[in-house]
Amino acid sequence: MDIRIYNTLSKTKETFKPIKNGEVGMYHCGPTVYDRAHIGNLRAYVFADTLRRMFEYNDYKVKQVINITDVGHLSGENAGDADAGEDKMTKALIRENMPLTLSAMHEIATKYFDAYVEDLKELKIELPQAFPRASDTIEQDIQFIKKLEEKGFVYTTSDGVYFDTSKFKGYGKLGENEKSAEKDEARARIATNSEKKNHRDFAVWKLSAKQIIGHEVSPIGWDSPWGKGFPGWHIECSVMSQMNLGQPFDIHTGGIDHIPVHHNNEIAQSESAYGVPLANYWMHNAFITIKNAKMAKSEGNYITLQTLEEKQISPLAYRYWLLTAHYRSPVNFTYSAVESAQKALIRLLSTVSSYPDGGKAIVAYAERFHSFVNDDLSMPEAVALVWNLVNDNNQSPADKRATLIEFDQVLGLGIAEVPHMGEAHLPTAEIPAVITALAEAREDARKTKEWDKADALRQEIQDRGFDIIDTDKSNNKTGTGYSIIAR
Ligand code: AMP
Ligand code: ZN
């Protein structure tokens, strides 16, 4: 079956053609490890993971790379202070009362890298084959910049080495058609420097500043032919993707904020250096917003996985919620939306636990599921299909279980790990009499087709901390057609 994906380069859905038959190489822009990731950042990696799972479902051999930005770079958060050398990593050192040294920067980066990997695991994101760290590839960055220098693509100014965007024909081919606020935010990640030849030129090597936020310090950074400093943010990705996947490689992903600046700049450098495309397909996830503004650390309006867990919301409920929206649609976070997703997930997993083993995947359902996921990851349709199947009384519970376990290869919701508990193991013994009575009343209302009454009774059951799951009578010890579980 064809795989169709939306390519930001062509602005259309294209049939995917791999460079090497049966294999796919993907590079995902990774986090700056200066703090814990927020759940907006994590959407980018749930998206990358779903893409990987889709390819594996299609029997592709997948190689994934996520870079780790662990060196100072100029960030939107501190644009005003960019020339003073302030950046996210440095800010983290100051925040945590650590010395402004490279080894302290490495230490703090390792701490937040470990936290990031923990988050990925909690979300059932399969780890990539490579997690290259920017601080390990400084020498390769320098060689890359030298190559650009030999070819005449860069020039030096008093604060660093800049890429001359007027020398690269077709600069900006990914487009700049994002909302201007996003574009400005992304552009602000690049230092303003009056010596720049064109306003879109960007630093490939930034010299270390002597003064960092009022602290007189000896400059930290790495030695280079241009002076002590740091690689530009975009250089890292150009170098680490080429080192791990070659050039061109198949798919490059990131959030849409990276389109106008970061990814256009990666393309400009890499294609100038090697004369071939950087990647054949560019895919971007839309934002998680909160109160309809982008979730961002700099705005202080962000939520972490730990905040969700403190509120008894499982990371997998967040994953489920993400899957109910298309990755190219912005979604607005609210607790009640994610809590509803958690209820739905609990209901799904409990239902699966009541299904016996020994069935086989239902071909008609598997085919539809396959066509949804291959159509630019139409996960909302795939999730809806899950519920169609659960509610389909013409299928046997054992076959439903086998089919859902197969779907879970792409969904990653833990369906495959749900033990078959069987009716006897559902906690019916601890259900209070009042709940059983409400459930019986609901069943009577359903029989007489009083749907509003039945819904109101279900709500009351839920408000009292229990869930009612409609099951097949054949698979239910009491023959009632439903089970009650504690939530
Ligand atoms: P950063 O560490 O800022 O480079 O972000 C890591 C990844 O998260 C990038 O791919 C960003 O585009 C993405 N990202 C940042 N904020 C959001 C958000 N609110 N919603 C979705 N993705 C985001
Ligand atoms: Zn990147």
Side-chain angles (χ1 to χ4, degrees), residues 141-159:
D141 294 345
I142 292 171
Q143 295 311 320
F144 184 84
I145 299 165
K146 274 192 183 162
K147 194 190 269 285
L148 290 175
E149 194 172 43
E150 281 157 22
K151 293 189 167 194
F153 283 103
V154 297
Y155 57 92
T156 46
T157 73
S158 55
D159 75 353

Side-chain angles (χ1 to χ4, degrees), residues 54-320:
M54 179 275 285
F55 276 111
E56 286 176 344
Y57 195 70
N58 283 277
D59 295 324
Y60 272 77
K61 188 167 165 239
V62 182
K63 177 158 186 195
Q64 269 186 310
V65 179
I66 298 181
N67 70 294
I68 301 299
T69 298
D70 64 349
V71 301
H73 72 70
L74 305 162
S75 67
E77 215 166 288
N78 317 303
D81 292 310
D83 289 336
E86 191 191 355
D87 61 72
K88 285 182 184 174
M89 293 304 299
T90 312
K91 215 175 169 187
L93 289 175
I94 293 167
R95 184 187 68 222
E96 303 203 4
N97 279 324
M98 293 177 70
L100 299 174
T101 61
L102 286 181
S103 64
M105 197 179 268
H106 194 267
E107 193 182 315
I108 214 161
T110 301
K111 171 169 139 187
Y112 289 113
F113 170 66
D114 291 347
Y116 170 68
V117 171
E118 231 171 77
D119 286 350
L120 297 188
K121 287 183 177 162
E122 292 216 60
L123 284 163
K124 278 199 181 295
I125 291 173
E126 293 175 23
L127 299 188
Q129 283 76 3
F131 262 139
R133 280 174 76 147
S135 61
D136 291 333
T137 49
I138 304 292
E139 189 43 43
Q140 289 86 343
D141 294 345
I142 292 171
Q143 295 311 320
F144 184 84
I145 299 165
K146 274 192 183 162
K147 194 190 269 285
L148 290 175
E149 194 172 43
E150 281 157 22
K151 293 189 167 194
F153 283 103
V154 297
Y155 57 92
T156 46
T157 73
S158 55
D159 75 353
V161 183
Y162 282 77
F163 185 90
D164 185 345
T165 50
S166 67
K167 295 257 170 76
F168 178 66
K169 243 177 64 210
Y171 177 83
K173 62 171 91 166
L174 274 182
E176 296 229 18
N177 55 352
E178 304 312 315
K179 276 191 271 145
S180 65
E182 284 156 18
K183 193 169 71 188
D184 292 347
E185 185 193 320
R187 211 166 273 301
R189 292 175 83 143
I190 295 167
T192 43
N193 174 344
S194 58
E195 296 163 62
K196 281 189 344 187
K197 292 185 184 169
N198 311 286
H199 81 283
R200 298 186 303 187
D201 293 355
F202 53 91
V204 292
W205 187 265
K206 188 82 180 142
L207 295 176
S208 301
K210 279 218 172 69
Q211 202 186 358
I212 299 179
I213 330 170
H215 299 244
E216 232 359 282
V217 291
S218 57
I220 55 169
W222 284 268
D223 290 325
S224 83
W226 311 281
K228 204 168 204 173
F230 296 88
W233 169 36
H234 322 296
I235 284 286
E236 291 174 26
C237 286
S238 283
V239 167
M240 289 191 270
S241 59
Q242 192 272 343
M243 279 175 65
N244 287 281
L245 297 167
Q247 185 176 325
F249 56 92
D250 293 299
I251 302 178
H252 194 311
T253 77
I256 51 162
D257 50 334
H258 286 346
I259 299 173
V261 178
H262 182 47
H263 288 169
N264 273 327
N265 290 354
E266 277 186 40
I267 289 174
Q269 300 166 152
S270 294
E271 301 193 2
S272 300
Y274 295 106
V276 291
L278 174 55
N280 290 340
Y281 301 87
W282 289 79
M283 299 178 75
H284 295 94
N285 64 278
F287 287 148
I288 297 297
T289 58
I290 184 163
K291 296 196 178 107
N292 294 309
K294 181 193 171 194
M295 184 176 288
K297 278 262 158 74
S298 51
E299 304 304 320
N301 60 348
Y302 66 90
I303 286 168
T304 61
L305 228 42
Q306 292 67 48
T307 324
L308 292 187
E309 285 173 297
E310 278 159 23
K311 292 186 185 290
Q312 318 295 324
I313 297 173
S314 138
L316 286 185
Y318 179 61
R319 182 179 179 110
Y320 179 97

Side-chain angles (χ1 to χ4, degrees), residues 325-344:
H326 191 264
Y327 73 89
R328 284 191 286 120
S329 305
V331 269
N332 194 46
F333 173 88
T334 61
Y335 279 110
S336 71
V338 180
E339 278 161 1
S340 301
Q342 170 141 301
K343 283 180 196 161

